[in-house]
Amino acid sequence: MKNILILGGTADARQLAGKLAGRFDVTLSLAGRTENPVAQGVPVRVGGFGGAEGLAAYLRDNRVDLLIDATHPYAAHISANAAKAAAVANVPAIALRRPAWERQPGDRWTSVESASEAVGLLGARPRRVFLALGRQELLPFEAASQHAYLIRSVDPVEPPLAVPDATYILARGPFSEAGDRALLETHGIDAIVSKNSGGQATYGKIAAARALGVEVFIIRRPPLPDLPSGADVDETVRLADHALAP
């Protein structure tokens, strides 16, 4: 069977691997940032490759026939390395890139380039802020310790933010609009900082913010390499079948 390497770490990647397994030899690569990842159902490789050169060597050494980038839309560095490695190793590459959320009537969005920009725009007045970000993006908010923060993550935030008022919730999506609306109301949230992840699994907070009139600071997506891309799992499966057709 043809050999596929999927760069994952998302629910989409896990579902994609499941749909391709059986017809292809599939290996799912995880960066290892999540302490207890969900069972993947296919052979898993954990850890980095050593940049584009290391990934290219892995593709050659393991005779990979197709590379699929199904990483998070904000994993720009990994995506760039994937495209470069595929070109160096002369291996076809495709991507799963779910569309970004679009502003809807009633949304109170402010687009920002980074978490640091969001910190400045929150203002000096104390606010109650829901940080819907990965653990790596939280540090800039220590510079605005006047705010009260609600932080939801899959793994514990270690060390905790050096701010006087932070509440931590451990939870793994998907999250519903009703559940996130209750969360925002319970904690009196008046601002959200979020990436534009796309998809339905984490859209609940965006819909809930719209219903409650809560301001949302949306971090723009970074530019990604130009690869043949599917907008969802099924479309990416069709691209893979086409790329590996005899």
Side-chain angles (χ1 to χ4, degrees):
M1 289 191 290
K2 295 292 183 70
N3 190 5
I4 296 177
L5 175 66
I6 300 176
L7 304 182
T10 63
D12 286 340
R14 183 177 70 253
Q15 294 165 15
L16 177 64
K19 290 207 170 189
L20 292 171
R23 296 188 296 118
F24 305 103
D25 283 330
V26 177
T27 299
L28 185 58
S29 174
L30 304 178
R33 292 176 180 169
T34 301
E35 293 178 3
N36 297 296
V38 173
Q40 305 296 319
V42 298
V44 172
R45 181 193 182 280
V46 178
F49 292 91
E53 295 77 10
L55 178 53
Y58 179 94
L59 297 176
R60 288 191 296 259
D61 294 345
N62 291 272
R63 299 185 178 181
V64 172
D65 298 293
L66 177 66
L67 175 65
I68 304 179
D69 177 9
T71 56
H72 193 276
Y74 287 75
H77 184 66
I78 296 174
S79 292
N81 280 346
K84 181 178 179 181
V88 169
N90 195 28
V91 171
I94 62 175
L96 195 169
R97 297 203 176 127
R98 54 182 181 260
W101 299 320
E102 298 290 339
R103 187 192 302 263
Q104 302 297 320
D107 283 330
R108 296 180 57 207
W109 284 13
T110 299
S111 294
V112 296
E113 295 296 334
S114 65
S116 295
E117 184 180 354
V119 170
L121 293 177
L122 283 170
R125 175 180 60 85
R127 305 183 70 173
R128 302 193 65 82
V129 186
F130 179 26
L131 299 180
L133 301 169
R135 291 178 296 165
Q136 292 77 23
E137 289 85 24
L138 296 176
L139 193 59
F141 294 91
E142 291 187 342
S145 60
Q146 72 273 26
H147 305 305
Y149 295 109
L150 173 66
I151 301 162
R152 182 169 65 190
S153 60
V154 174
D155 297 316
V157 176
E158 300 282 352
L161 286 186
V163 296
D165 192 346
T167 300
Y168 300 91
I169 296 175
L170 294 181
R172 190 189 300 271
F175 303 106
S176 69
E177 177 182 349
D180 276 353
R181 178 167 180 163
L183 183 73
L184 299 183
E185 290 180 320
T186 297
H187 292 272
I189 297 300
D190 60 57
I192 297 173
V193 183
S194 173
K195 294 178 178 178
N196 192 332
S197 300
Q200 291 301 309
T202 59
Y203 188 70
K205 62 181 176 290
I206 303 298
R210 182 188 310 128
L212 296 173
V214 172
E215 185 175 13
V216 182
F217 295 88
I218 291 280
I219 299 175
R220 295 186 185 92
R221 288 188 172 189
L224 296 174
D226 184 16
L227 294 177
S229 301
D232 56 30
V233 170
D234 289 338
E235 188 175 350
T236 309
V237 168
R238 290 192 290 271
L239 283 176
D241 285 336
H242 178 75
L244 296 174

